[in-house]
Amino acid sequence: MSSLRVLLTAEQIQARIQELAAQIDRDYPAGPIYLVGILKGACIFLADLARSMNTPARLEFVGISSYGRGRTSSGEVKLTKDLDVSVEGHHVIVVEDIVDSGITLSYLIQLFQQRRPKSLRVATLLDKPDRRQRTVQVDYVGFHIPDEFVVGYGLDFAEDYRNLRDVCVLSE
Ligand code: IMP
Ligand code: MG
């Protein structure tokens, strides 16, 4: 039997998102910003972040598959859904649910740099710095968390638990 233990409550998450949004508003006095969410995990964070900001934002999504269905990414990343628009000359913030090895983000950053945005930054709700294999600069971090497998608030295990309001540690 697997069990869930609350790590971050819905209230903690919402309070932190208000702070991140205020910081983004200060950093980008003029919009629009393209918020590029990585499906599917980032969709809930992106929706709350976008609505907490005052800076005008446009919403885009990309799909990524990192081969394997386990708890860790395999190291091989493939784009399964690209942007619908050109972001050339625009501000872009890539929005991620969690940065773990950094493999997904380093791949995407390299890809998006080739699209010549005006600026490119990264926002993540969660960061597990202990597990980093690739150096990636993350500009906006909600919470640094220990090396435990978490679900909820968009994060899944085999597609389950995404609609939990809290972030929880999943243990067997
Ligand atoms: P990275 O490429 O290793 O940084 O992996 C990032 C992706 O792995 C995230 O977008 C998540 O989909 C997934 N992931 C990493 N850690 C967790 C976790 O603790 N719970 C759920 N998904 C995770
Ligand atoms: Mg995932």
Side-chain angles (χ1 to χ4, degrees):
M1 272 295 287
S2 52
S3 70
L4 295 171
R5 169 171 58 83
V6 175
L7 181 68
L8 300 164
T9 66
E11 291 70 26
Q12 286 176 297
I13 295 167
Q14 294 305 323
R16 184 65 186 127
I17 289 174
Q18 297 306 314
E19 294 175 352
L20 291 178
Q23 200 182 334
I24 292 171
D25 285 341
R26 284 194 298 274
D27 292 350
Y28 299 84
I33 308 173
Y34 278 95
L35 297 180
V36 178
I38 305 175
L39 294 171
K40 304 169 196 168
C43 71
I44 292 176
F45 175 45
L46 185 145
D48 283 343
L49 183 67
R51 288 177 293 177
S52 304
M53 294 164 40
N54 294 315
T55 308
R58 296 174 180 173
L59 311 189
E60 282 289 321
F61 293 92
V62 293
I64 283 284
S65 83
S66 79
Y67 299 96
R69 301 197 153 267
R71 291 173 169 223
T72 55
S73 79
S74 63
E76 240 186 304
V77 182
K78 196 176 83 175
L79 198 68
T80 57
K81 186 214 170 298
D82 203 340
L83 299 171
D84 294 329
V85 296
S86 165
V87 293
E88 184 170 346
H90 290 283
H91 294 299
V92 172
I93 300 180
V94 178
V95 181
E96 179 57 303
D97 51 1
I98 185 166
V99 185
D100 187 30
S101 68
I103 291 169
T104 306
L105 263 183
S106 63
Y107 168 83
L108 276 181
I109 288 166
Q110 231 177 351
L111 182 79
F112 289 156
Q113 284 294 6
Q114 296 165 16
R115 311 277 174 90
R116 302 173 179 279
K118 189 173 190 174
S119 69
L120 180 59
R121 288 190 178 176
V122 173
T124 186
L125 179 71
L126 305 175
D127 187 359
K128 278 189 205 170
D130 294 350
R131 291 179 40 91
R132 204 67 96 251
Q133 295 177 35
R134 302 278 158 77
T135 308
V136 281
Q137 189 187 326
V138 186
D139 304 280
Y140 305 100
V141 178
F143 302 90
H144 292 101
I145 63 167
D147 180 12
E148 293 186 286
F149 193 84
V150 291
V151 295
Y153 198 76
L155 293 114
D156 74 307
F157 177 61
E159 297 303 327
D160 287 327
Y161 308 111
R162 289 196 199 274
N163 66 326
L164 297 178
R165 296 177 70 243
D166 305 319
V167 169
C168 301
V169 174
L170 178 70
S171 46
E172 303 289 339

